[in-house]
Amino acid sequence: MNPQVELSSYPGLDERIVIVRAGDEVDAVFVRTKRFNVMIDTLGTPELCRRALDLLEQRPEARPLVVVNSHMDWDHFWGNAAIAGRAPIIAHAAALDRLRDPATRQVLTDKASEESRFRDVEIIGPDITFSGSMVLNGGDLTLELIHTPGHTPDHIAVWIPELRICLAVDAVEYPIPEVWSRSADDLRLIRSSLERIRDLDARLVIPAHGRTSSPSTVAENLAYFETLADRVGRLSGSRLADPELGSASGFRLEDFVAIPQDMPSATLAFYRSCHETNLGATIEAHGEGRP
Ligand SMILES: [Zn+2]
């Protein structure tokens, strides 16, 4: 079953910005500027994306549409087929490497075998790519696309300086973000991307999951990785090699962050596996003698 698509907002959020929510799956964001509209992410299926476009076009002002893919994780770009031919799609150049990786197609094969709603998904890549950063000048609002790797190599966040709003997508996540792999390099990247977002000193930080707009999530994510490095740093070699370390008291997810009572068990299982990857990367970084 496709989740319900609805338009939403946060307290204090400028009315030019609309949260496009696909149930508990993911949030995309729609930004109206003077010159054009920007949609950041296309949701998990073309059907969901079409529903979002229908809801958004009920608004009177029709301007050209520009679409940004924050990164090539399924829930953020599998709706691209609903956009192709209608609007240019922008992504970071590293997105092309991910599209060439057979693992990307494998995720689709696996998910389509589990749920019929994924059977009409076509993997469609971006029309325009950039390295470093890119700026969309909307006239009244500026959208700075900032490369923030670590969750994935191609991840970009969006900074709107006029409103001091950061659309952090998956670079910031409640309760915890997930590092790309168990490697020390990726851990370093996710931590420096979080620091970069922290240094923006945003008024609102809006991730794609977790329904929060509080900038405090950035500090909490950074504190999580710091505590993780700290606790791993105090362990002996034999404990570091223990594959069950993530289930040991003091090293479980709930020993680092408070887990809401009402978190669905599938969501909790997902964040436990994120924590395992983060722990693995932290152990590798410790072995290499860096934080
Ligand atoms: Zn995501």
Side-chain angles (χ1 to χ4, degrees), residues 94-175:
L96 300 175
D97 299 329
R98 292 198 61 200
L99 290 173
R100 279 190 284 265
D101 185 336
T104 300
R105 188 148 293 280
Q106 191 57 46
V107 177
L108 177 53
T109 308
D110 293 347
K111 289 196 80 73
S113 73
E114 289 160 12
E115 278 186 71
S116 60
R117 67 186 178 111
F118 294 116
R119 282 176 202 152
D120 64 345
V121 170
E122 240 184 293
I123 293 191
I124 292 188
D127 303 299
I128 301 167
T129 58
F130 67 95
S131 298
S133 64
M134 177 185 261
V135 178
L136 306 179
N137 295 295
D140 54 343
L141 296 179
T142 311
L143 281 78
E144 296 177 15
L145 312 185
I146 308 171
H147 190 208
T148 40
H151 171 65
T152 62
D154 57 332
H155 192 282
I156 51 182
V158 180
W159 169 236
I160 306 175
E162 292 86 353
L163 303 172
R164 306 203 62 75
I165 285 175
C166 176
L167 309 174
V169 195
D170 285 357
V172 175
E173 190 157 346
Y174 173 81

Side-chain angles (χ1 to χ4, degrees), residues 247-259:
S247 323
S249 173
F251 291 89
R252 298 163 304 179
L253 176 63
E254 57 267 44
D255 297 321
F256 294 86
V257 291
I259 296 168

Side-chain angles (χ1 to χ4, degrees), residues 22-160:
D24 289 327
E25 196 160 270
V26 72
D27 288 352
V29 181
F30 187 78
V31 183
R32 267 182 295 134
T33 76
K34 230 174 185 158
R35 293 185 183 158
F36 45 77
N37 294 329
V38 186
M39 180 139 162
I40 295 113
D41 286 343
T42 60
L43 307 175
T45 68
E47 173 65 25
L48 289 171
C49 187
R50 271 189 289 274
R51 275 194 229 164
L53 291 172
D54 284 349
L55 289 174
L56 291 160
E57 279 173 3
Q58 282 169 14
R59 285 151 196 268
E61 57 288 302
R63 298 176 179 84
L65 179 64
V66 175
V67 172
V68 174
N69 283 159
S70 65
H71 62 303
M72 297 291 140
D73 275 356
W74 71 269
D75 48 329
H76 301 267
F77 87 104
W78 277 5
N80 278 5
I83 297 293
R86 290 182 71 167
I89 302 174
I90 304 172
H92 191 271
L96 300 175
D97 299 329
R98 292 198 61 200
L99 290 173
R100 279 190 284 265
D101 185 336
T104 300
R105 188 148 293 280
Q106 191 57 46
V107 177
L108 177 53
T109 308
D110 293 347
K111 289 196 80 73
S113 73
E114 289 160 12
E115 278 186 71
S116 60
R117 67 186 178 111
F118 294 116
R119 282 176 202 152
D120 64 345
V121 170
E122 240 184 293
I123 293 191
I124 292 188
D127 303 299
I128 301 167
T129 58
F130 67 95
S131 298
S133 64
M134 177 185 261
V135 178
L136 306 179
N137 295 295
D140 54 343
L141 296 179
T142 311
L143 281 78
E144 296 177 15
L145 312 185
I146 308 171
H147 190 208
T148 40
H151 171 65
T152 62
D154 57 332
H155 192 282
I156 51 182
V158 180
W159 169 236
I160 306 175

Side-chain angles (χ1 to χ4, degrees), residues 10-13 159 163-168 171-175 193-207 211-223:
Y10 289 111
L13 184 60
W159 169 236
L163 303 172
R164 306 203 62 75
I165 285 175
C166 176
L167 309 174
V172 175
E173 190 157 346
Y174 173 81
S193 290
L194 277 163
E195 284 164 4
R196 183 152 185 207
I197 291 171
R198 176 196 62 199
D199 294 345
L200 293 170
D201 195 21
R203 203 170 54 77
L204 298 177
V205 174
I206 301 176
R211 302 187 180 192
T212 168
S213 62
S214 167
S216 64
T217 311
V218 185
E220 284 157 17
N221 284 179
L222 275 165

